[in-house]
Structures are given as C-alpha cells and as structure tokens.
C-alpha cells in the first residue's frame, strides 16, 4: 500500500484499498464496515466491547470496531480477516492451523480470534500458551473451550502442527471439517450477513416489567408521524394463531403479548422502517401505557397460596411434572446403613452464543422465505404455518450459518416477526436482536431447586433414592415439559439403583422462558446426585471413585426405567480410565496445598439418553449421483458448530464406499432437503448419522446390483459413468437419465430410534442408547477470597465410536467450558445481567488444560457403533468442580454458581463448626 497517497479525510485504507465512507456522527466502525463497505466478515456479538467478535486491525493494532467511531479511522489502515487472508502469509498459516486443530466450531468468533492472533504473531513470532491467552483474552468463544484455539496459534508460531487425516478419510479419522474453510476466511454467512444493505429493518418493543397490563395507544398515528417508519406489528397483525411453542400440547407463547405481558423483555409490538429510522427509534416513544402487576420469580412464591396465576388450567402454576419409580424406596431406606440428603439449587443460565438471533425475510412468488439462524428449520416452518395461517407450501426456511445455539435456537425468535413484517410490507426485511434483546427474551437453562435423599448399605451399595426437583420454567412452556420428563429418567446417574423415586415439576413464573440448554435439566440433577455420592462415600469411608465403580451400571443391569442394555454400557470404562489421574492428582494436591491456597481433586460421572424421550424421532437423508458423476448428500441436519456436516458426510461416504472429499453437501433448506429433525438431544450423529448410513448403503446396493458386483467392489464416479472394479474386473455403468432433481441414482432413507413409551411409573425404554462420561478436575481455592480456579481436567467419554476424534475433543472442551461457567460464574438475573459485561462467561484464561480420553464401547444401534455426545459433556463438569472444592476446603457448596462470596461463606461455616 502506498501510504504517501494521503487519503482524503473521509477515506479509510480498508484491506489495502482506499475507500470512502460518509458515516453518521458517532457511527461505529463495525457498522460502517459491515453495512457501507461490504465487510461482513467483521462480526458483531454485543456492540459493547465485551465479546471481541468485531476485532479488526487499525494501524496494525487490534481494536474492537464496535467501540471506535468511524471518524477515528479516517486516514488509517483498517484490516479485517478477509483482507488479511488475501495477502498475509501469517493469516493464511493461521487458517491452516485453525482447521487442523478444529479451532473454529460455529465460526462466529473466528474472525476476532484470528485477527487478534495475527497481531500477536507479527510481534511475537513463536508465542507461548500464556502469551496467546493474553493476546486473545478480549475475544469470547462459547463453543471451543479455547484450548484448540490456543494450540492453533502456538502451532502457527512454532511451525509444528499435527497431521490431519486426508480429507478423503471416512469413519474413525480426524479429518478437518468439510465446511471449515468458510469459517476461517471470513465468508461464512450468519443470520445478520444475508440481507442486502439498505433492507428495511425492524425494532421490537418489549415490556419493561415482569408482569403488567398494557394498553396500546394510536400506533398507526405514531408510525405515520415518524419519518422513515413504514408499518407496525402487534398481536392484531397475526393472521393465524398468535401462539407458538415447541410441544403442541404446551403451545402457550404469543408472538406479541395481548393486554398482559408475563416477563420482562416480552415483545408487545414492532415497527418496520428504513435503517436510519430504526437506528433513531426510541422504544420509549412508542404509544403504550403500563400498569405493573404482582409478579412471581421463583418456584416457591409461584406455588404459594394467593400467587398470581400465569395460565388457565395450571393451578399453583404447575406446568407439568414427571415421575419415575421402581422398587420400594421406603423399604430400602429402612435397610440402609447410611443416608445422606441435601438441597441443591441453581439459577438461570444464559446460552450466550456469540451470534445474537438474526435473519432476513422476503416474499418470493407469493411465498414467504425466511433466512435465519436456527437449530430446527422444519419446526420453524411448522410454527409459521400456525402463526401465519398458511400451508407449509407457502413457506420456505433457509437456515443461515448458526453462530452457536446450544438449545436456545430450537425455539423461534426472529422468525415470526420477520415473516409477519415481510407479509405486511411486501418488502424484504431484516431483524437482528441486540445482545439485550437476546438475553431478555430468549430461553435460558431452568433454575432448579432439588431435594435428594440417598441411602447405602455398609458394603457400599446404593439402597434407596428419593429425588424431587422443581424447575422454574418461566412464563411459557418452551421445552419445560421435556425437562420435567427427562430429569426423572436421568436423576439416578449411570448407576444401578433398584429402589428409586424421582419426581419433577415445571413451575411457571414471571421470568423469561426456560427451554433447552445442553442437557435438558440433567446437568442440574447431576449436581445434586454426584455431590451426594461423594458425601455418601465419605460416610462409608470409601474412596469416591471406587464407590462409583461399585455402583456403576453394566451391560445387563436394569436402569431405573427397567430398561436393560445388553451391550454398550460404557460408564465403568470411563470411571476406570480416571483411576491413574485420580491417584496421581490427589497426591499432587496434597503436596502442593498451603494454608492460603488449597488444591482439591473432584470427580463426577454422567449419562445421557440420545434423542427424544419415548417419542418418534426420525431423520431422513437423501443422496444421489448427478449426471456429471457428482455424489450429493442432501443433509438437512443443522450444523451449529458441533460438526454434523463433517460427521454425517464421513458416515455416508463410508457407507457408499467413496472418499469423504467426494461428497457434495446440499442444505439444509426446507425446499431442498428432507427433514432430518432438529439439532438437539445429541441426536444428529446417532439418528441422522444412521439415516445417512442407510442412504449410503442403499445407493451402493443399487449401483452394485447393476452388474451383480460383490460387496467389496470399488466405485469410481465420472461424468455419465460409474466404474465398478470387482475382483479384477472393471464394469462400466452408464448413469441413467436424471430425474427432476438432477439425480441419476437416488436413495432417501429414514431412521427412527427404537424406543418404548414410559408407563405411569416411568417404566419403559425411553432411549435406544445412552452415552456416558466421567470427569476429574483439579482446582485451586484461595482460602481468603473464595476464588476457585480449575487447573486441570481429565475427561473420559464413551462415544461408542469416534466418527471424528478431533470433533469429539472439540465437543468435550466446549462442554467443559460451559459446565465450568455454570459451576463458577454464570447466573442470569432479569434486569441485572442482560449483557456480556454483567453476565460473565468463561474467557480464554479460565480454561485449564483438558486431557480427553475417548472410550469406544460400541452401541448396536449407532452408526458404526457411534453414540451422541453434545449434551453429555457438561453434565459431570459442575459436580466434579463442587466435589473438588469440598476436597480442597471441606466446604460443601449447594448452590451454583459457586461465586467467591458463596465459597468464602461456606469455608467460614466449616471453620466455625
Ligand atoms: S461486537 Fe464489538 S466487542 Fe462485541
Ligand atoms: S467457535 Fe467460537 S463462538 Fe463458536
């Protein structure tokens, strides 16, 4: 670049080119770059300097573009990821290492991470782990657990990198993500990256009270009198039913509240206008009057006499409940030699994906087309059918890339508002939630209030288990019924408990809806169960690991639902795998603890049933061969960063007998891909993976049948032709005339896990497979301040078969980071923690080294033996940390997060006992 050109006062040297901008006064550089200069590779996660997603280089220094007024960048050199990738060898090397290490999962943080890393590598050629941590400390990632990112940057500097398996490799190999390049070069298009600049925008008006009655004023007059506003939306504009919900029997949430709102942040209306008008719009000016009403915010007050009732037909605000019981718990407790009991509580946990909900909608030939980030495109379409009062054929959902979901993007958010707005105006529209919109209005992890009593006989066998959990489901049901049903099935943990009772209730409150969040209530119940297991072991004077191994489920022993797995039960192997570290780390902790800093070692286990609980849960995958010999896979399973695109392609390619790199992915798109179900409940590797396996096998069988070739034949695809090499003979099969979709051979297959309904006692076969896990953690506790710092994790996971070991490790590290956050720092409080500086999530400096041990106890139902993994990974993390704190200090924490104040109070209580 020729800096002597002295660019004009309104010019920026953007990626080496002089570009002119005319920003509004105070306009953010991120806004100018994205909306006026086409640099959509700059991502926005908070607009407040908290997430670092918007990081760019300004005169070679990393800067949050959302905090810099564009005017300050005039005459200066601004580099974004895309620009660096075009010209900078360091950025290009970094991109290779990010892909080699699986350091980009969803990819929304990747531009900020990579730009920050380029700045570091320019000044420190071979940075250490600590230097990388420092330099990238301002960029948040919610997916990876950061370790792969650190490794990728260190490897770029050192030039020492792991060899990835060739991209052609199939099941069981650590190939790079098939969709990884777009994540590291800045071309991945997320929900806010689709709409053309200048598209009409939407602002949502939200309730400022937890519970209130409201009256709308002259909305039409307000819109007419406000320059740039074109239309409004209220409940009156919903042509179908003003309700949505993910479970038909519990569809209770309005798109726009009518007369009464039930939580702070609930949408009551929206306005549509030009980008300038929407950026000027002050929600306080909207014509509405409020009359606050009494509100309940926790499960106790919500069930008290005289409490305001949220929904008709749900006395005492009980949404629904779940029950599993077997044996005779009362008799078992009378036989028990020792009994422990406790009450464990947790708060709301925010998903805090770095990409807020966003999308774009337009009318195309009379149909409504919604492009938005989602985990469940077909469910989105079903919701819009009801809300819009239109058939499915009128609606197309085209998911964008998803910048993290973790369960919350299973529910619709922007989609109904976008669809209503384009329907009303006839024009394209876009809507991106602000961080506050996102945190106020979308679902959270259920707060829990659990009481649990467990007995054991002197020989260490569990003898009696009585669990009750009340879950705060917020103002609307969302996935609350799933949590209520799933928790009693899982509350035993992966152990043999013959005499068992577990009851749960979901309770409505005037809080944001609680929904799906990695684990559906099981992480909360595991805290109570695994902490009390340690207490029980202590009373029995048994080693906690040996106590767990003694009681662990095995092949052939019934679960608390009476389900017997004759194969595939891997919990014992997970626990055994921790044995060496358990002994070594306890010795290390004892040797290094001081009066001021005490080290503790804790462990916990977990299990998780993959897929829906006792409900149909099919996935359909279509594949085919085009006339030019291209192998296509219509893959409708949403990849939200976890790696479904890669894993399902590896499974399909292995079944078909071709290299994974030969597979061309299509979808998801409700017009083009069959329904692969939602990305939730750790079901995609297992369920959609099986559908992909069946599709690949069917396609192969059709092709082999053309020449009666044997199972071992080798297929080669060419334009117009398939070559089949079989036992030394080459056959040539001309490709038939393509069908309307352009496919010559085609195979569409469905897989639905075999389950049986639960009876009134919760007995049945709720899942075809479980995955298993056990975590060990070493923590350092500052005895004066109560701060807790994990210093090492060892995580053993039974995944049945690791389809892609690198992606397995990525899931484990990301899940541990979220479990750590839940254990130590995260609590969403409406009105108080509605942004990413008051709501803390783990940063790069919070995550210690993680040793992942992959256990492969094959499952008869899984594709090539594979089990689901996504949810399992954070279930043992929090209880392992709480057990480590107890080991270090003697203090038992019973409420998460274990903030320094709570830990210090618990330590003080022990000292004064
Ligand atoms: S968008 Fe700039 S720091 Fe989050
Ligand atoms: S990969 Fe970092 S936020 Fe998703």
């Amino acid at each position: 670049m020729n800096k002597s050109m002295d660019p004009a006062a309104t010019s920026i040297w953007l990626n080496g080119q002089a570009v002119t901008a005319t920003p509004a006064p105070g306009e953010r550089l991120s806004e100018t770059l994205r909306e006026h200069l086409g640099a959509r590779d700059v991502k926005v996660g908070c607009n407040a300097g908290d997430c670092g997603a918007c990081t760019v280089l300004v005169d070679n220094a990393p800067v949050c573009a959302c905090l810099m007024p564009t005017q300050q960048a005039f005459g200066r050199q601004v580099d974004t990821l895309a620009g660096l990738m075009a010209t900078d060898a360091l950025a290009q090397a970094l991109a290779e290492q990010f892909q080699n290490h699986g350091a980009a999962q969803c990819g929304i943080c990747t531009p900020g991470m990579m730009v920050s890393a380029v700045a570091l590598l320019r000044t420190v050629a071979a940075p250490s782990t600590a230097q990388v941590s420092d330099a990238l400390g301002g960029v948040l990632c919610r997916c990876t657990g950061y370790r792969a990112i650190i490794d990728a940057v260190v490897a770029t500097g050192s030039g020492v990198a792991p060899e990835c398996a060739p991209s052609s490799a199939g099941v069981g190999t650590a190939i790079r993500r098939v969709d990884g390049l777009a994540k590291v070069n800045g071309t991945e298009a997320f929900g806010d990256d689709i709409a053309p600049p200048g598209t009409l925008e939407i602002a949502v008006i939200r309730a400022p009270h937890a519970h209130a009655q409201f009256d709308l004023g002259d909305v039409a007059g307000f819109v007419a009198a406000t320059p740039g506003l074109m239309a409004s939306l209220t409940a009156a504009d919903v042509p179908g039913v003003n309700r949505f919900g993910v479970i038909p029997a519990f569809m209770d949430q309005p798109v726009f509240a009518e007369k009464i709102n039930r939580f702070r942040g609930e949408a009551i209306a929206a306005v549509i206008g030009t980008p300038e008008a929407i950026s000027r719009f002050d929600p306080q000016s909207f014509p509405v009057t409020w009359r606050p009403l009494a509100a309940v915010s926790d499960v106790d007050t919500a069930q008290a006499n005289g409490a305001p009732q949220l929904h008709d037909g749900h006395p005492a605000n009980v949404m629904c409940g779940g029950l599993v019981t077997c044996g005779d718990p009362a008799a078992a407790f009378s036989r028990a030699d020792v009994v422990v009991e406790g009450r464990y509580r947790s708060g709301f946990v925010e998903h805090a994906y770095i990409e807020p909900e966003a999308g774009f909608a337009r009318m195309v030939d009379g149909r409504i087309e919604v492009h938005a980030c989602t985990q469940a495109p077909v469910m989105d379409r079903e919701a819009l059918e009801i809300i819009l009062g239109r058939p499915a054929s009128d609606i197309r959902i085209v998911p964008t890339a998803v910048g993290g979901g973790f369960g919350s993007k299973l529910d619709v958010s922007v989609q109904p508002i976008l669809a209503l707005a384009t329907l009303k105006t006839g024009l394209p529209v876009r809507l991106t939630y602000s961080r506050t919109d996102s945190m106020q209005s979308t679902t959270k992890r259920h707060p829990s209030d659990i009481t649990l009593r467990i007995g054991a006989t002197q020989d260490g066998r569990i003898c009696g288990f009585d669990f009750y959990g009340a879950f705060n489901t917020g103002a609307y049901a969302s996935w609350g019924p799933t949590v209520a049903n799933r928790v009693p099935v899982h509350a035993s943990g992966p152990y043999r408990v013959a005499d068992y009772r577990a009851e749960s209730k979901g309770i409505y409150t005037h809080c944001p809806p609680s929904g799906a969040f990695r684990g559906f209530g099981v992480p909360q119940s595991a805290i109570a169960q695994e902490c009390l297991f340690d207490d029980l072991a202590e009373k029995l004077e048994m080693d906690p690991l040996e106590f767990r191994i003694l009681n662990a489920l095995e092949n052939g022993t019934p679960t608390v639902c009476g389900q017997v797995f004759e194969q595939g039960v891997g919990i014992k192997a997970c626990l055994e795998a921790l044995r060496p570290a358990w002994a070594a780390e306890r010795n290390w902790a004892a040797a290094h603890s001081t009066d001021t800093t005490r080290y503790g070692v804790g462990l916990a286990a977990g299990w998780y049933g993959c897929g829906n609980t006792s409900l149909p849960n099919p996935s359909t995958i279509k594949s085919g061969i085009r006339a030019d010999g291209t192998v296509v896979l219509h893959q409708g399973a949403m990849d939200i960063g976890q790696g479904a695109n890669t894993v399902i392609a590896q499974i399909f390619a292995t079944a078909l007998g071709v290299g994974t790199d030969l597979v061309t992915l299509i979808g998801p798109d409700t017009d083009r891909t069959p329904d692969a179900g939602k990305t939730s409940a750790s079901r995609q590797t297992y369920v959609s993976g099986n559908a992909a396996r069946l599709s690949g096998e069917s396609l192969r069988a059709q092709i082999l049948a053309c020449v009666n070739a044997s199972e071992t034949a080798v297929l080669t695809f060419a334009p117009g032709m398939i070559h089949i090499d079989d036992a030394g003979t080459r056959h040539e099969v001309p490709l038939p005339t393509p069908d309307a979709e352009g496919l010559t051979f085609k195979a569409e297959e469905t897989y639905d896990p075999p389950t049986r309904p639960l009876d009134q006692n919760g007995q049945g076969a709720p899942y075809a497979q479980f995955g298993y896990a056990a975590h060990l953690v070493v923590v350092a506790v500052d005895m004066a301040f109560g701060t807790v710092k994990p210093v090492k994790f060892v995580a053993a996971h039974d995944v049945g078969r690791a389809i892609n070991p690198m992606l397995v490790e990525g899931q484990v590290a990301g899940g541990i980071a979220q479990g750590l956050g839940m254990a130590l720092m995260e609590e969403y409080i409406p009105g108080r923690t509605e942004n990413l500086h008051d709501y803390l999530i783990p940063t790069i400096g919070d995550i210690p080294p993680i040793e992942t041990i992959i256990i492969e106890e094959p499952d008869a139902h899984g594709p090539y033996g594979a089990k689901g993994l996504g949810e399992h990974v954070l279930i043992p993390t929090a209880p392992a940390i709480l057990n480590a704190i107890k080991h270090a200090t003697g203090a038992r924490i019973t409420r998460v997060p274990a903030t320094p104040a709570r830990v210090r109070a618990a330590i003080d209580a022990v000292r004064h006992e």
Side-chain angles (χ1 to χ4, degrees):
M1 182 180 66
N2 181 2
K3 281 190 159 181
S4 65
M5 285 175 69
D6 185 25
T10 55
S11 289
I12 296 170
W13 287 101
L14 175 61
N15 295 326
Q17 303 289 323
V19 295
T20 302
T22 52
E27 183 172 297
R28 301 169 192 272
L29 177 59
S30 51
E31 169 90 2
T32 306
L33 291 172
R34 286 180 54 81
E35 301 305 323
H36 305 299
L37 299 174
R40 292 259 170 104
D41 55 314
V42 177
K43 305 303 177 191
V44 173
C46 70
N47 257 339
D50 297 319
C51 75
C54 63
T55 302
V56 298
L57 299 183
V58 177
D59 290 343
N60 294 316
V63 164
C64 282
C66 72
L67 292 184
M68 175 179 265
T70 304
Q71 284 85 350
Q72 286 186 11
F74 285 157
R76 300 173 74 180
Q77 177 185 334
V78 176
D79 293 296
T80 72
L81 175 62
L84 293 170
M85 283 295 291
T87 57
D88 188 296
L90 271 178
Q92 292 157 1
L94 203 50
E96 294 301 307
Q97 293 311 327
F98 263 59
Q99 292 182 83
N100 285 344
H101 286 82
Q105 289 191 13
C106 80
I108 189 77
C109 72
T110 308
M113 289 289 184
M114 287 183 58
V115 167
S116 302
V118 167
L120 170 68
L121 290 163
R122 283 178 175 175
T123 54
V124 184
S128 65
T129 296
Q131 287 170 313
V132 174
S133 250
D134 279 352
L136 275 55
V139 189
L140 296 176
C141 175
R142 192 58 158 167
C143 301
T144 63
Y146 300 104
R147 302 304 306 188
I149 293 172
I150 295 172
D151 292 345
V153 180
V154 169
T156 306
S158 69
V160 180
E163 282 295 313
C164 275
S167 58
S168 59
V171 162
T173 55
I175 66 169
R176 291 173 165 196
R177 283 170 187 270
V178 299
D179 53 5
L181 183 60
K183 297 174 192 289
V184 297
N185 69 12
T187 58
E188 188 81 298
F190 296 89
D192 191 39
D193 299 336
I194 303 296
T199 301
L200 291 183
E201 295 184 12
I202 303 170
V204 180
I205 294 95
R206 300 188 180 280
H209 308 287
H211 187 204
Q213 197 166 13
F214 65 92
D215 289 305
L216 296 174
D218 178 9
V219 175
F222 172 79
V223 169
T226 307
L229 289 193
M230 302 185 62
S232 63
L233 294 171
T234 68
D237 293 293
V238 177
V241 180
N242 185 26
R243 286 284 179 278
F244 66 89
V246 288
I247 298 171
F250 292 87
M251 210 176 66
D252 57 7
Q253 185 163 359
V255 179
F256 296 111
E258 299 174 54
K259 294 283 183 194
I260 286 192
N261 79 281
R262 296 181 178 85
F263 71 95
R264 176 185 158 85
E266 183 166 11
I268 62 153
V271 292
I272 306 155
T274 62
E276 298 73 29
I278 294 300
S279 73
R280 280 195 310 267
F281 174 70
D282 175 7
Q284 301 283 350
S285 65
F286 191 77
V288 57
T289 52
W290 298 95
R291 190 164 71 83
L293 302 170
V296 289
S297 62
D298 62 70
V299 295
D300 287 337
T301 53
Q303 294 178 91
N305 284 338
Q309 303 295 295
L310 276 93
H311 298 280
D312 292 342
H314 293 277
N317 288 315
V318 176
M319 176 192 58
C320 70
L323 175 71
V324 171
T325 182
C326 65
D328 186 345
F333 278 116
S334 67
R335 290 196 309 275
D337 296 311
V338 294
V339 174
V340 294
E341 57 188 310
R343 179 183 183 191
Y344 285 80
R345 285 174 287 175
S346 67
F348 285 110
V349 183
E350 160 67 23
H351 297 74
Y353 25 72
I354 304 305
E355 180 206 26
E357 296 74 7
F360 162 72
R362 61 183 176 183
M363 303 298 299
V364 178
D365 298 330
R367 299 174 76 215
I368 296 150
E369 196 173 286
V370 178
H371 302 246
C373 51
T374 179
Q375 294 178 234
V378 174
M379 286 176 64
D380 290 358
R381 187 180 63 187
E382 289 166 355
L384 293 187
E385 286 175 58
I386 294 167
I387 292 163
L388 303 177
R390 288 194 170 217
S393 56
D394 275 6
I395 303 162
R396 179 182 186 186
I397 305 290
V398 189
T400 64
V402 182
F406 316 118
S408 191
K409 289 177 182 169
L410 288 164
D411 297 60
V412 292
S413 55
V414 295
Q415 295 90 337
I417 301 172
L418 283 164
L420 290 167
T422 196
L423 202 54
K424 183 156 184 177
T425 61
L427 296 170
V429 292
R430 71 191 286 196
L431 172 57
T432 300
Y433 277 1
S434 68
R435 179 53 58 181
T436 301
D437 280 332
S438 176
M439 294 183 75
Q440 282 187 342
S441 69
T442 63
T443 60
K444 309 279 171 276
R445 183 183 293 286
H446 284 70
S448 59
D449 188 343
I450 292 168
T451 51
L452 176 57
R453 195 164 162 247
I454 313 174
T457 48
Q458 203 55 53
D459 62 357
R461 302 273 176 189
I462 293 165
C463 185
F465 192 108
D466 188 6
F467 172 102
Y468 174 74
F471 290 83
N472 181 344
T473 205
Y476 299 107
S478 180
W479 294 93
T482 306
V483 168
N485 289 329
R486 193 174 267 271
V487 164
V489 172
H490 288 80
S492 63
Y495 304 99
R496 171 73 178 120
V497 184
D499 301 288
Y500 177 84
R501 188 177 197 284
E503 184 182 2
S504 64
K505 280 185 185 162
I507 309 295
Y508 285 120
T509 64
H510 294 104
C511 292
S514 301
F517 191 168
R518 227 169 172 172
F520 283 101
V522 181
Q524 296 95 306
S525 67
I527 289 175
Q529 173 259 312
E530 286 290 324
C531 287
L532 285 176
F533 267 33
D534 258 30
D535 294 355
L536 206 45
E538 186 180 336
K539 270 200 167 185
L540 290 163
E541 298 182 353
M542 280 185 75
D543 178 279
L545 177 61
E546 302 306 332
F547 174 77
R548 286 174 171 84
I549 289 173
L550 179 70
N551 285 288
L553 276 175
E554 293 179 281
N555 292 340
T557 54
T559 70
V560 291
C561 293
Q563 188 172 12
V564 178
F565 291 94
E566 297 296 349
Q567 49 71 45
V569 179
I571 185 56
K572 221 169 205 177
C574 291
L575 289 163
E576 293 281 5
L578 297 183
R579 206 189 278 277
W582 179 241
E585 299 301 341
R586 286 215 152 191
N587 288 338
W588 184 91
H592 290 82
S593 287
T594 65
D595 286 348
T596 53
T597 302
R598 299 203 59 81
Y599 293 95
V601 187
L603 60 83
W607 66 334
Y608 194 78
C610 303
N612 288 353
T613 310
S614 289
L615 288 172
N617 194 200
S619 269
T620 302
I621 295 280
K622 180 167 68 181
S623 63
I625 313 296
R626 287 185 183 144
D628 65 358
T630 306
V631 179
V632 293
L633 181 63
H634 289 249
Q635 204 288 87
M638 284 303 302
D639 190 326
I640 59 172
Q642 85 281 29
N645 283 340
T646 305
V647 166
I648 291 172
Q650 285 181 275
I651 291 170
F652 168 75
T654 300
L656 178 59
V658 300
T660 303
D661 56 341
L662 286 186
V663 178
T664 297
L665 286 180
I666 295 181
D669 175 340
T670 56
D671 272 10
R672 301 185 73 196
T673 45
D675 184 7
K678 59 197 187 300
T679 290
S680 82
S682 302
R683 63 179 293 285
Q684 293 298 19
T685 297
Y686 165 42
V687 184
S688 296
N690 256 330
R693 176 183 59 81
L694 292 170
S695 183
E697 289 173 353
S698 168
L699 201 55
R700 180 176 174 83
Q702 289 177 45
I703 294 166
L704 296 184
C706 294
V707 294
N708 246 344
S710 75
E711 258 310 306
T712 56
V714 175
L715 307 182
T716 313
F717 297 88
M721 187 73 69
I722 303 175
H723 302 287
I724 304 176
D725 291 296
D726 186 25
T729 303
R730 166 158 282 209
H731 305 275
E732 292 190 339
V733 177
L735 291 171
T737 306
D739 66 8
E741 289 183 286
L743 299 179
T744 58
F745 287 91
K746 180 164 92 173
E748 182 168 317
E749 296 291 338
T750 298
Y751 179 79
D752 194 5
T755 61
R756 266 188 297 116
L758 298 174
D759 66 16
Q760 72 278 7
N761 290 320
Q763 299 298 293
Y767 309 105
Q769 65 166 222
F770 282 80
Y772 303 88
H775 289 182
L776 176 152
V777 61
V778 184
V779 301
V781 183
D782 184 307
M783 297 298 282
F785 295 105
T787 51
V788 177
K789 186 163 178 52
V791 295
K792 177 180 186 179
F793 280 96
V794 183
H797 281 266
D798 169 28
V799 297
R801 176 84 187 274
I803 302 293
N804 184 320
M806 180 170 75
L807 297 182
V808 168
E809 290 189 13
Q811 284 295 291
V812 171
I816 283 178
Q818 291 185 354
L820 184 155
M822 178 184 175
L824 296 178
M825 63 186 77
E826 297 188 38
E827 182 162 17
Y828 176 78
I829 303 170
R832 283 176 51 194
T833 59
E834 296 172 344
N835 53 60
L836 291 176
H837 51 264
D838 293 315
Y839 185 91
L840 301 179
I841 66 172
T843 68
I844 200 167
D846 292 316
I847 309 300
I850 297 167
E851 179 190 341
T852 301
I853 302 172
I854 296 175
I855 307 289
E856 293 184 308
E857 188 79 36
D859 181 82
H861 298 294
Y864 302 103
K867 301 168 181 171
L869 175 65
E871 334 265 306
H872 312 67
V873 284
L874 66 67
I875 292 169
T877 310
I881 290 172
L882 299 191
N883 284 337
I885 295 171
K886 171 92 185 295
H887 180 235
T889 66
R892 169 56 77 203
I893 305 295
T894 59
R895 181 170 198 141
V896 291
T899 57
R902 286 179 182 150
V903 173
R904 201 176 54 229
I907 291 171
D908 286 347
V910 170
R911 281 178 173 151
H912 293 109
E913 269 175 4

